[in-house]
Amino acid sequence: QVQVVESGGGSVQAGGSLRLSCVASRYTVSFCMGWFRQAPGKEREGVAAINTGRDSAYYADSVQGRFTISHDKAKNTLTLQMNSLKPEETAVYYCAAARRWCLLASWNRTGVFDYWGQGTQVSVSS
């Protein structure tokens, strides 16, 4: 069964850190994995993505330098380390996997990804 499951969300004060994890089942073909987020009333936006096995990573400008995405190929586990969090980053964070390599021009498009997790809430208070 294809499955992508996130964990690690929670509440933190502004400036704090959180670490999100995502495990993809062994049936999930995932050349690229990524994190998206969606705040109430807003569209889902790409946060970061990584080509598994190649470790080429992409970041949204707004998180560059503060967030780090990584992938453990043996465990097929994706991690997002989030530092210096801001209140405006409060959202539901989704893990996604794609059956193709991500590209610089399109990694942040939801249509690139084939499998999605249920999402995990991240709340940042001021």
Side-chain angles (χ1 to χ4, degrees), residues 81-100:
Q81 177 66 42
M82 305 185 293
N83 298 328
S84 302
L85 282 161
K86 304 175 182 179
E88 55 264 37
E89 294 179 310
T90 294
V92 177
Y93 283 68
Y94 296 90
C95 177
R99 295 178 297 193
R100 72 214 75 187

Side-chain angles (χ1 to χ4, degrees), residues 98-120:
R99 295 178 297 193
R100 72 214 75 187
W101 300 115
C102 281
L103 302 174
L104 178 61
S106 60
W107 69 268
N108 57 349
R109 299 176 188 173
T110 57
V112 168
F113 294 84
D114 304 285
Y115 311 110
W116 291 85
Q118 297 285 357
T120 184

Side-chain angles (χ1 to χ4, degrees), residues 62-80:
S62 60
V63 307
Q64 182 77 44
R66 297 185 297 118
F67 289 13
T68 302
I69 190 170
S70 59
H71 180 258
D72 183 328
K73 189 174 179 64
K75 299 179 180 178
N76 207 14
T77 298
L78 184 72
T79 300
L80 183 69

Side-chain angles (χ1 to χ4, degrees), residues 21-37:
S21 294
C22 168
V23 177
S25 70
R26 63 191 181 98
Y27 300 107
T28 304
V29 177
S30 51
F31 286 84
C32 177
M33 297 185 72
W35 290 97
F36 286 72
R37 64 189 179 192

